[in-house]
């Protein structure tokens, strides 16, 4: 019985390697082209300046959320 489970584990590891290898190759190719993975960074200078002015009290939470394109309730910011 132990041999059976050992064989299943070996097959599972082989299957895992079949999935992981092309993924790593793709990431290496993207890295070689000078690109990074993930979504584009959304904090542009205009947005970060608006957030800084929020600290000074010039903008409301809702105005900041509208600028960033997010719902303020999703990020745990209250509108009280």
């Amino acid at each position: 019985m132990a041999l059976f489970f050992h064989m299943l584990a070996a097959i599972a590891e082989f299957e895992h390697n079949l999935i992981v290898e092309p993924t790593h190759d793709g990431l290496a190719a993207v890295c070689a082209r000078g690109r990074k993975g993930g979504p584009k960074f959304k904090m542009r200078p205009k947005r970060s300046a608006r957030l800084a002015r929020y600290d000074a009290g010039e903008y409301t939470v809702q105005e900041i959320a509208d600028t960033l394109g997010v719902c303020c309730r999703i990020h745990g910011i209250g509108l009280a």
Side-chain angles (χ1 to χ4, degrees), residues 47-59 64:
R47 291 179 175 178
S48 60
R50 185 164 284 191
L51 281 175
R53 286 190 282 182
Y54 166 74
D55 290 336
E58 295 179 30
Y59 286 100
I64 299 296

Side-chain angles (χ1 to χ4, degrees), residues 51-72:
L51 281 175
R53 286 190 282 182
Y54 166 74
D55 290 336
E58 295 179 30
Y59 286 100
T60 66
V61 173
Q62 186 61 53
E63 289 171 333
I64 299 296
D66 291 342
T67 300
L68 298 175
V70 297
C71 175
C72 55

Side-chain angles (χ1 to χ4, degrees), residues 3 12 15-16 27 30 33-34 51 53 59 62-63 65 73-74:
L3 180 61
E15 183 180 13
H16 171 75
L27 290 172
V30 167
R33 289 193 301 259
L51 281 175
R53 286 190 282 182
Y59 286 100
Q62 186 61 53
E63 289 171 333
R73 296 192 193 289
I74 290 175

Side-chain angles (χ1 to χ4, degrees), residues 22-34:
T23 303
H24 285 177
D25 292 344
L27 290 172
V30 167
C31 185
R33 289 193 301 259

